[in-house]
Amino acid sequence: RFQEAYGEMGVVCCSSPEDVAEEADALVLVTEWHEYLELNWEAMAERMKSRILVDGRNALDRAKLARHGFRSVTLAG
């Protein structure tokens, strides 16, 4: 539905989280939805150019991310 409504914006929609991470310099999480909290962070890290993650909801386990090589920044209190 997003593509139909906002296709002119040039946003690329992906079919999986791993596809989003492919060659990414950074990821930004802005939701607390369960499916995003339980991602396979090892698989995500392997696909990225730089392992930077901005956690806009302070919802992720920073120690777990660090074990997979992520540098994480939290924006929420």
PDB file of all heavy atoms in Angstrom, residues 57-75:
ATOM      1  N   ARG A  57      14.150   4.004  19.979  1.00  0.00           N
ATOM      2  CA  ARG A  57      13.179   3.667  21.020  1.00  0.00           C
ATOM      3  C   ARG A  57      13.819   3.080  22.276  1.00  0.00           C
ATOM      4  O   ARG A  57      13.123   2.716  23.201  1.00  0.00           O
ATOM      5  CB  ARG A  57      12.158   2.675  20.470  1.00  0.00           C
ATOM      6  CG  ARG A  57      11.462   3.125  19.203  1.00  0.00           C
ATOM      7  CD  ARG A  57      10.597   4.298  19.421  1.00  0.00           C
ATOM      8  NE  ARG A  57       9.388   3.843  20.093  1.00  0.00           N
ATOM      9  CZ  ARG A  57       8.400   4.607  20.464  1.00  0.00           C
ATOM     10  NH1 ARG A  57       8.475   5.890  20.241  1.00  0.00           N
ATOM     11  NH2 ARG A  57       7.354   4.110  21.046  1.00  0.00           N
ATOM     12  N   ASN A  58      15.141   2.967  22.300  1.00  0.00           N
ATOM     13  CA  ASN A  58      15.850   2.345  23.412  1.00  0.00           C
ATOM     14  C   ASN A  58      15.250   0.973  23.715  1.00  0.00           C
ATOM     15  O   ASN A  58      14.976   0.621  24.858  1.00  0.00           O
ATOM     16  CB  ASN A  58      15.820   3.245  24.658  1.00  0.00           C
ATOM     17  CG  ASN A  58      16.828   2.824  25.688  1.00  0.00           C
ATOM     18  OD1 ASN A  58      17.835   2.187  25.386  1.00  0.00           O
ATOM     19  ND2 ASN A  58      16.566   3.152  26.933  1.00  0.00           N
ATOM     20  N   ALA A  59      15.046   0.208  22.661  1.00  0.00           N
ATOM     21  CA  ALA A  59      14.327  -1.064  22.769  1.00  0.00           C
ATOM     22  C   ALA A  59      15.226  -2.284  22.600  1.00  0.00           C
ATOM     23  O   ALA A  59      14.782  -3.402  22.823  1.00  0.00           O
ATOM     24  CB  ALA A  59      13.222  -1.105  21.709  1.00  0.00           C
ATOM     25  N   LEU A  60      16.475  -2.085  22.205  1.00  0.00           N
ATOM     26  CA  LEU A  60      17.337  -3.214  21.885  1.00  0.00           C
ATOM     27  C   LEU A  60      18.374  -3.464  22.977  1.00  0.00           C
ATOM     28  O   LEU A  60      18.737  -2.565  23.732  1.00  0.00           O
ATOM     29  CB  LEU A  60      18.049  -2.962  20.553  1.00  0.00           C
ATOM     30  CG  LEU A  60      17.123  -2.787  19.352  1.00  0.00           C
ATOM     31  CD1 LEU A  60      17.921  -2.360  18.134  1.00  0.00           C
ATOM     32  CD2 LEU A  60      16.364  -4.068  19.070  1.00  0.00           C
ATOM     33  N   ASP A  61      18.862  -4.681  23.002  1.00  0.00           N
ATOM     34  CA  ASP A  61      19.893  -5.105  23.945  1.00  0.00           C
ATOM     35  C   ASP A  61      21.250  -4.679  23.392  1.00  0.00           C
ATOM     36  O   ASP A  61      21.774  -5.288  22.468  1.00  0.00           O
ATOM     37  CB  ASP A  61      19.817  -6.621  24.115  1.00  0.00           C
ATOM     38  CG  ASP A  61      20.822  -7.186  25.086  1.00  0.00           C
ATOM     39  OD1 ASP A  61      21.845  -6.522  25.371  1.00  0.00           O
ATOM     40  OD2 ASP A  61      20.603  -8.314  25.547  1.00  0.00           O
ATOM     41  N   ARG A  62      21.826  -3.630  23.954  1.00  0.00           N
ATOM     42  CA  ARG A  62      23.076  -3.072  23.427  1.00  0.00           C
ATOM     43  C   ARG A  62      24.230  -4.057  23.545  1.00  0.00           C
ATOM     44  O   ARG A  62      25.103  -4.104  22.683  1.00  0.00           O
ATOM     45  CB  ARG A  62      23.392  -1.760  24.129  1.00  0.00           C
ATOM     46  CG  ARG A  62      22.365  -0.684  23.768  1.00  0.00           C
ATOM     47  CD  ARG A  62      22.675   0.612  24.413  1.00  0.00           C
ATOM     48  NE  ARG A  62      23.742   1.250  23.631  1.00  0.00           N
ATOM     49  CZ  ARG A  62      24.260   2.415  23.919  1.00  0.00           C
ATOM     50  NH1 ARG A  62      23.841   3.086  24.970  1.00  0.00           N
ATOM     51  NH2 ARG A  62      25.212   2.930  23.174  1.00  0.00           N
ATOM     52  N   ALA A  63      24.267  -4.861  24.600  1.00  0.00           N
ATOM     53  CA  ALA A  63      25.340  -5.850  24.759  1.00  0.00           C
ATOM     54  C   ALA A  63      25.260  -6.903  23.661  1.00  0.00           C
ATOM     55  O   ALA A  63      26.280  -7.312  23.105  1.00  0.00           O
ATOM     56  CB  ALA A  63      25.257  -6.503  26.139  1.00  0.00           C
ATOM     57  N   LYS A  64      24.040  -7.328  23.341  1.00  0.00           N
ATOM     58  CA  LYS A  64      23.849  -8.311  22.260  1.00  0.00           C
ATOM     59  C   LYS A  64      24.310  -7.730  20.929  1.00  0.00           C
ATOM     60  O   LYS A  64      24.994  -8.403  20.155  1.00  0.00           O
ATOM     61  CB  LYS A  64      22.376  -8.711  22.193  1.00  0.00           C
ATOM     62  CG  LYS A  64      22.043  -9.719  21.132  1.00  0.00           C
ATOM     63  CD  LYS A  64      20.558 -10.060  21.174  1.00  0.00           C
ATOM     64  CE  LYS A  64      20.167 -11.059  20.125  1.00  0.00           C
ATOM     65  NZ  LYS A  64      18.728 -11.376  20.194  1.00  0.00           N
ATOM     66  N   LEU A  65      23.963  -6.494  20.668  1.00  0.00           N
ATOM     67  CA  LEU A  65      24.390  -5.847  19.432  1.00  0.00           C
ATOM     68  C   LEU A  65      25.909  -5.739  19.366  1.00  0.00           C
ATOM     69  O   LEU A  65      26.512  -5.988  18.325  1.00  0.00           O
ATOM     70  CB  LEU A  65      23.765  -4.457  19.318  1.00  0.00           C
ATOM     71  CG  LEU A  65      22.250  -4.417  19.138  1.00  0.00           C
ATOM     72  CD1 LEU A  65      21.745  -2.991  19.269  1.00  0.00           C
ATOM     73  CD2 LEU A  65      21.849  -5.014  17.806  1.00  0.00           C
ATOM     74  N   ALA A  66      26.529  -5.391  20.471  1.00  0.00           N
ATOM     75  CA  ALA A  66      27.987  -5.256  20.516  1.00  0.00           C
ATOM     76  C   ALA A  66      28.666  -6.590  20.213  1.00  0.00           C
ATOM     77  O   ALA A  66      29.710  -6.614  19.549  1.00  0.00           O
ATOM     78  CB  ALA A  66      28.417  -4.723  21.878  1.00  0.00           C
ATOM     79  N   ARG A  67      28.087  -7.683  20.673  1.00  0.00           N
ATOM     80  CA  ARG A  67      28.658  -9.011  20.384  1.00  0.00           C
ATOM     81  C   ARG A  67      28.690  -9.301  18.884  1.00  0.00           C
ATOM     82  O   ARG A  67      29.489 -10.096  18.418  1.00  0.00           O
ATOM     83  CB  ARG A  67      27.880 -10.101  21.111  1.00  0.00           C
ATOM     84  CG  ARG A  67      28.161 -10.169  22.602  1.00  0.00           C
ATOM     85  CD  ARG A  67      27.626 -11.434  23.230  1.00  0.00           C
ATOM     86  NE  ARG A  67      26.188 -11.596  23.125  1.00  0.00           N
ATOM     87  CZ  ARG A  67      25.290 -11.113  23.989  1.00  0.00           C
ATOM     88  NH1 ARG A  67      25.684 -10.407  25.033  1.00  0.00           N
ATOM     89  NH2 ARG A  67      24.013 -11.333  23.801  1.00  0.00           N
ATOM     90  N   HIS A  68      27.818  -8.655  18.140  1.00  0.00           N
ATOM     91  CA  HIS A  68      27.774  -8.845  16.688  1.00  0.00           C
ATOM     92  C   HIS A  68      28.497  -7.723  15.948  1.00  0.00           C
ATOM     93  O   HIS A  68      28.375  -7.597  14.732  1.00  0.00           O
ATOM     94  CB  HIS A  68      26.334  -8.975  16.208  1.00  0.00           C
ATOM     95  CG  HIS A  68      25.630 -10.173  16.760  1.00  0.00           C
ATOM     96  ND1 HIS A  68      26.050 -11.460  16.505  1.00  0.00           N
ATOM     97  CD2 HIS A  68      24.568 -10.286  17.583  1.00  0.00           C
ATOM     98  CE1 HIS A  68      25.254 -12.317  17.136  1.00  0.00           C
ATOM     99  NE2 HIS A  68      24.364 -11.622  17.795  1.00  0.00           N
ATOM    100  N   GLY A  69      29.238  -6.905  16.691  1.00  0.00           N
ATOM    101  CA  GLY A  69      30.057  -5.873  16.079  1.00  0.00           C
ATOM    102  C   GLY A  69      29.374  -4.559  15.826  1.00  0.00           C
ATOM    103  O   GLY A  69      29.934  -3.683  15.158  1.00  0.00           O
ATOM    104  N   PHE A  70      28.169  -4.369  16.345  1.00  0.00           N
ATOM    105  CA  PHE A  70      27.458  -3.105  16.128  1.00  0.00           C
ATOM    106  C   PHE A  70      27.951  -2.028  17.070  1.00  0.00           C
ATOM    107  O   PHE A  70      28.247  -2.264  18.229  1.00  0.00           O
ATOM    108  CB  PHE A  70      25.946  -3.279  16.372  1.00  0.00           C
ATOM    109  CG  PHE A  70      25.220  -3.896  15.231  1.00  0.00           C
ATOM    110  CD1 PHE A  70      24.939  -5.247  15.233  1.00  0.00           C
ATOM    111  CD2 PHE A  70      24.800  -3.146  14.154  1.00  0.00           C
ATOM    112  CE1 PHE A  70      24.252  -5.848  14.192  1.00  0.00           C
ATOM    113  CE2 PHE A  70      24.111  -3.719  13.100  1.00  0.00           C
ATOM    114  CZ  PHE A  70      23.841  -5.070  13.127  1.00  0.00           C
ATOM    115  N   ARG A  71      28.022  -0.825  16.543  1.00  0.00           N
ATOM    116  CA  ARG A  71      28.153   0.372  17.363  1.00  0.00           C
ATOM    117  C   ARG A  71      26.743   0.942  17.407  1.00  0.00           C
ATOM    118  O   ARG A  71      26.168   1.250  16.366  1.00  0.00           O
ATOM    119  CB  ARG A  71      29.116   1.372  16.730  1.00  0.00           C
ATOM    120  CG  ARG A  71      30.557   0.870  16.762  1.00  0.00           C
ATOM    121  CD  ARG A  71      31.492   1.834  16.103  1.00  0.00           C
ATOM    122  NE  ARG A  71      31.190   1.850  14.668  1.00  0.00           N
ATOM    123  CZ  ARG A  71      31.489   2.832  13.839  1.00  0.00           C
ATOM    124  NH1 ARG A  71      32.125   3.881  14.277  1.00  0.00           N
ATOM    125  NH2 ARG A  71      31.183   2.758  12.568  1.00  0.00           N
ATOM    126  N   SER A  72      26.190   1.055  18.601  1.00  0.00           N
ATOM    127  CA  SER A  72      24.803   1.502  18.690  1.00  0.00           C
ATOM    128  C   SER A  72      24.701   2.824  19.426  1.00  0.00           C
ATOM    129  O   SER A  72      25.482   3.125  20.327  1.00  0.00           O
ATOM    130  CB  SER A  72      23.921   0.443  19.366  1.00  0.00           C
ATOM    131  OG  SER A  72      24.390   0.177  20.661  1.00  0.00           O
ATOM    132  N   VAL A  73      23.712   3.592  18.995  1.00  0.00           N
ATOM    133  CA  VAL A  73      23.404   4.889  19.597  1.00  0.00           C
ATOM    134  C   VAL A  73      21.936   4.851  19.968  1.00  0.00           C
ATOM    135  O   VAL A  73      21.094   4.418  19.175  1.00  0.00           O
ATOM    136  CB  VAL A  73      23.653   6.030  18.583  1.00  0.00           C
ATOM    137  CG1 VAL A  73      23.254   7.363  19.171  1.00  0.00           C
ATOM    138  CG2 VAL A  73      25.098   6.037  18.129  1.00  0.00           C
ATOM    139  N   THR A  74      21.626   5.299  21.159  1.00  0.00           N
ATOM    140  CA  THR A  74      20.233   5.354  21.613  1.00  0.00           C
ATOM    141  C   THR A  74      19.780   6.799  21.655  1.00  0.00           C
ATOM    142  O   THR A  74      20.483   7.653  22.197  1.00  0.00           O
ATOM    143  CB  THR A  74      20.100   4.723  23.012  1.00  0.00           C
ATOM    144  OG1 THR A  74      20.555   3.371  22.941  1.00  0.00           O
ATOM    145  CG2 THR A  74      18.672   4.745  23.501  1.00  0.00           C
ATOM    146  N   LEU A  75      18.607   7.063  21.082  1.00  0.00           N
ATOM    147  CA  LEU A  75      18.081   8.429  21.060  1.00  0.00           C
ATOM    148  C   LEU A  75      17.047   8.661  22.154  1.00  0.00           C
ATOM    149  O   LEU A  75      16.882   9.773  22.606  1.00  0.00           O
ATOM    150  CB  LEU A  75      17.451   8.735  19.712  1.00  0.00           C
ATOM    151  CG  LEU A  75      18.388   8.666  18.504  1.00  0.00           C
ATOM    152  CD1 LEU A  75      17.624   8.977  17.241  1.00  0.00           C
ATOM    153  CD2 LEU A  75      19.558   9.603  18.678  1.00  0.00           C
TER     154      LEU A  75
END
